[in-house]
Structures are given as C-alpha cells and as structure tokens.
Amino acid sequence: TTARLLGTDAEFATHLEQRLKEMAPMQIGRWGQLQEWMTDWDNPQDVHRHVSHLYGLFPSNQISPYRTPELFDAARTSLIHRGDPSTGWSMGWKLNQWARLHDGNHAYTLLGNLLKNGTSDNLWDIHPPFQIDGNFGGTAGMTEMLMQCHMGFIHLLPALPDAWHTGTITGLRAKGNFGVDLYWNEGKLTEAIIHSGSGAPCEVRYGDLVWKFKTVKGKSYKIQVGQKGDAAVALRPVVL
C-alpha cells in the first residue's frame, strides 16, 4: 500500500505480496487457542513468556472484536493459559495485549506486576540486565488502556480499569494526526477534546456510541455523552 501511494518500489512490493500469500493463516486449535504452530500441538500447560503468535492482536491490528471475533476469543484463551508471570519486557507485551482485549482490570494487574516486579529502582525494565522493551511497553500499555486507534477509529476508554475510576489525560496522539484529551468520572467518559492536525475525517467511539464528523485543520472538537431517558446518546461534536 505504501509503495503504491508513493509510486515507488513496485517490483519489491509485488514480491512481498506474493510472499504474503504463502504465509500460513491464523488458526484456532483444539482447546480454543490461537495456534502458535501450523500443527495443532500447543500445550495448554505451556506458560512460556513468549507470545509471538499473538502479534495479530498486538502490536498489529489483524485481530479485533469487530472484524474477527473468533480469533479475538482464541487470542484471549492463549493469553490466559500463558499466565501473567514473566520477565519485564514480556509483562509489558502482555499488558498491551490485555488492553487490546478490552480487559482493563487484567491490564492493570500486569501494569502493577511490571512496576513492582519488573522494574528496578532506577525505573529500568528488568530482563537481566536491562531491555527497553519493558519501559516502552509500560507506557504504551497505559495509553492503550485509555485510547486505541488501530481499527480505523479513535476508541475512547476501551480498557479503563476500576482503579482509575476518575481521571484526566491530555496530549494523546491518534492516527490521522489527531490529538486527544480525555476526562472521565466514576468510570464513565464525561468529555473528550479532539484536535485535528490535518483536517482528516474523524470517527470516534465510546462503548456503543459513535461520532463521525469532518474536521478542519487546526480546529478542536468537544465530544460529550448525553442522556435520553435511560439511554446514553452521542451529542453532536462542538467546535471550540
């Protein structure tokens, strides 16, 4: 896709497209897991810290609850069986994966493990002697708990843990060159400010609510949740 947009490297892009067709598809195994191998010989007692076969869940976007619900559930099964204990970098990875599974409380547990058991006093990630993956994974995981943007829209508070019932975060960055500020209270979104850096169309989701609107470069848009009877409704974005 990038080669086509830039009008370059056509021969190399064609080569890669052919190789993609030769790759084995993601498959669900006999106990509901996302298979790590082409042959269904995964061991449900395997608690190894490596979870490379869950790449499609994180950091890629091939697995989602909207497009691939069966693979989404299978990835969860695999992650449950692998368990939480691991070295620092792996805890950071699992933290992000639980956030992608929209399980904020489990992600919060991994974040606590990472900080208490996988981080030195100087805040370096522990995987003797040190790997930056855990540090980057920790900050990425906290962001993924509060906002995700890998599915073509900006997803607000997708994995908010109970422990963060009230809070504010500003300066998040989303695909499409958007800035995002979030405000929530008692576990519910109260307000979001979307800053448009390029004037691209924007789609925002919070729970079952969806906002789709055009933007103007340099403008900011306030999003709020209203109430109609017992139902939450998406109020029209307000230009600031």
Side-chain angles (χ1 to χ4, degrees):
T1 300
T2 303
R4 292 194 187 96
L5 289 173
L6 296 176
T8 186
D9 298 319
E11 183 177 349
F12 183 56
T14 300
H15 172 77
L16 294 179
E17 287 176 342
Q18 294 301 317
R19 301 293 78 75
L20 283 173
K21 294 176 183 178
E22 298 170 3
M23 295 181 67
M26 289 183 282
Q27 302 177 102
I28 299 174
R30 65 190 186 282
W31 44 278
Q33 87 283 12
L34 187 69
Q35 287 182 206
E36 183 171 8
W37 313 101
M38 289 181 65
T39 302
D40 188 6
W41 56 27
D42 295 344
N43 182 354
Q45 304 304 316
D46 181 5
V47 293
H48 197 279
R49 64 185 178 275
H50 288 183
V51 284
S52 302
H53 57 304
L54 301 185
Y55 171 85
L57 177 66
F58 177 87
S60 187
N61 62 355
Q62 297 164 289
I63 298 175
S64 85
Y66 304 102
R67 298 192 307 267
T68 59
E70 295 85 5
L71 293 176
F72 187 79
D73 290 339
R76 180 190 291 109
T77 297
S78 289
L79 203 54
I80 290 172
H81 282 267
R82 284 299 169 95
D84 295 340
S86 51
T87 54
W89 69 266
S90 182
M91 282 188 278
W93 198 352
K94 292 177 179 179
L95 158 61
N96 281 273
Q97 289 171 337
W98 279 112
R100 286 284 177 94
L101 289 169
H102 299 170
D103 190 330
N105 288 330
H106 205 139
Y108 183 78
T109 296
L110 265 296
L111 177 61
N113 291 348
L114 178 64
L115 293 174
K116 291 180 289 186
N117 305 317
T119 305
S120 301
D121 292 340
N122 65 357
L123 298 183
W124 279 11
D125 164 62
I126 299 174
H127 182 78
F130 164 64
Q131 281 188 334
I132 195 64
D133 305 53
N135 293 96
F136 289 160
T139 53
M142 286 185 277
T143 302
E144 291 277 341
M145 293 163 74
L146 298 175
M147 184 206 71
Q148 297 177 19
C149 58
H150 59 282
M151 292 184 287
F153 55 86
I154 300 172
H155 197 172
L156 306 180
L157 304 183
L160 183 69
D162 294 339
W164 295 350
H165 54 84
T166 299
T168 298
I169 187 166
T170 60
L172 296 177
R173 302 299 303 177
K175 290 183 178 180
N177 196 15
F178 293 108
V180 180
D181 304 332
L182 297 175
Y183 307 84
W184 65 95
N185 186 53
E186 297 300 324
K188 295 181 179 180
L189 179 73
T190 57
E191 184 176 294
I193 308 296
I194 309 297
H195 308 278
S196 178
S198 298
C202 187
E203 180 176 343
V204 179
R205 297 191 185 190
Y206 168 67
D208 295 329
L209 304 182
V210 178
W211 294 262
K212 293 182 180 181
F213 53 99
K214 296 180 180 180
T215 73
V216 176
K217 181 179 179 180
K219 294 289 186 179
S220 299
Y221 302 81
K222 179 191 292 187
I223 285 177
Q224 292 177 300
V225 178
Q227 204 72 23
K228 187 175 182 180
D230 294 330
V233 294
L235 298 179
R236 171 176 286 186
V238 177
V239 183
L240 299 180

